[in-house]
Amino acid sequence: MIRSVLACSVCLLGASFLGNAQSANEDIPHLAKHGTATQLIVNGKPFLMLGAEVHNSSGSSLDYMRTVWPRLAAIPLNTVFVPVYWELLEPKQGQFDFSLVDGLIHQARRNHLHIVFLWFGSWKNGLSSYPPLWVKKDAERFPRVIEKGGKEAEILSTFGKNTLEADKTAFAALMRHIREVDGQAHTVLMMQVENEVGVLGDSRDRSPAADQAFSGAVPAKLLNYIQQHKNSLFPQFKKIWDASGDKTSGTWSEVFGSNADEVFMAWHYGRYVNQVAAGKAQYALPMYANTWLHGPNVAPGKFPSGGPEPEVIDVWRAAGNAIDIYAPDIYARNFEDWCDWFNQEGNPLFMAETAGGARGQANVFYAVGKDNAISFSPFGIDSWRDKDNLLGKSYSVLMQLAPLILKHQGDGTMTGFVLDTDHPSVTATMNGYKLDISLDRIFGGKAKHGYGLVIATGPNEFVGAGSGFRVKFSPASAGPPNAGVGYIEEGSYANGAWVPGRRLNGDESDQGQYWRFSNQGTEVERAVVYRYR
Ligand code: DGJ
């Protein structure tokens, strides 16, 4: 439903608030378990978020955004990730200007799109460029990180009590306002709290307050958490704890050895960001924190030290529980590894930022099919001049399949894959069949790239989508020793119902030997298989 935006766009703190209680009839977007997967529920139904993020400064001008929304809607996508800037939301302390927030919500509704708001508060990419000038100019009230050698960095320190209070107040005001203007319509689905936090330039804060805390004992709250969760810690963190002998008391260096600086910063960022996210008491949208991922053998400080990497997500979890999901920004080539590393120990995969173009076109199938991603969101969409609309080709297919995908998430009947000449094949076992999935053969050789997902939709029946791959079936349960392809249909889903197109046989199925997906487009096909002596 498109609702008009409330009039009170600029109001003083406290002037228009409804109070803390959520009214009983608000079906707020929320997370729910579905088998082993976690789903986002919007208006009572699971939602597959096929989105994209605009550039950092785009959300600062409604005039600029006005022409962007229809272009994004046409891709098609269903959700736009757009920043909300502390400097523009609270230009004077205690005086809030919600006009941009209201305008963005209004524009999204006009274009039938949802929003994920990104709170650019104390930190953005490690640094502190988005706090208002009244914060930036007052290093006494809002202290900075001190690096080795005494240099003051343009990074607000997690030890600044006034900073935390100010950020919390602004974020809580934002959440209250979103509830007031969107608590029924649910245009806004989720909140990102801060952006890629962590200390850049050094492995930890060396301000006097930080040094004092670092030389003291590791807090009991963190140590208790580690012991209580020792069988379900991320393996990356378990390795760090094990390396110094699984200590249950001691200083940061004693308990965490050479990783002490990063773990220490993770604890302090985790505490701070979770306290900001506690603004969800005003309106309980699901909240996530995104991560600038470290490269192989890169030291903390070269990437933001203390951000929620798989090595320290447990530390963030120990520090607070207002953040629901820790989410990767994956630009690295080993996309699949990072998806798997974030989809662990109850942390669902929420693809906060990633590459678009041909990589995004393929990778979305892995994220959604293999790791039950709640979302997919390539970055910088408003400047793309992608005449082939590669992402749109994948999104169109995934939107058709969304009801089926959401039904099968978390029950072991779906897989996703990206294939290339270095990784030309994968296997999966579903519904009593082993599937050998490999790059398709084409005239003159093999496809160089392939991607897709396969769902076991019923006994002897599979639905697949993608490009440049083929599937060989063999039996993986008791019964007749051979498996064959009964028939294959190409087609599409309209309102959840299968609409068959051509029956594929002959060359299109390698004379009945393979379920094939040509590399000429992104196809949807249904295969019926059988067993025989
Ligand atoms: C990751 C950040 O989170 C984004 O805001 C943006 O700065 C991109 N990097 C640019 O590549």
Side-chain angles (χ1 to χ4, degrees), residues 395-413:
Y395 275 14
S396 303
V397 161
L398 291 169
M399 277 179 189
Q400 277 178 48
L401 291 177
L404 201 60
I405 290 169
L406 290 161
K407 184 170 157 213
H408 286 268
Q409 277 185 339
D411 71 358
T413 57

Side-chain angles (χ1 to χ4, degrees), residues 281-359:
Q282 302 302 327
Y283 184 45
L285 288 180
M287 310 244 162
Y288 71 94
N290 67 328
T291 314
W292 167 334
L293 305 176
H294 63 74
N297 305 316
V298 176
K302 302 263 186 239
F303 65 90
S305 178
E309 310 280 340
E311 284 74 6
V312 292
I313 286 176
D314 286 305
V315 180
W316 279 67
R317 283 176 156 183
N321 59 9
I323 293 292
D324 300 291
I325 302 177
Y326 295 98
D329 293 347
I330 312 183
Y331 296 93
R333 289 277 157 192
N334 57 335
F335 178 88
E336 293 122 287
D337 291 339
W338 284 111
C339 287
D340 298 351
W341 291 334
F342 273 81
N343 180 26
Q344 287 193 88
E345 302 304 344
N347 186 64
L349 179 61
F350 185 88
M351 184 60 55
E353 280 180 43
T354 189
R359 287 169 67 198

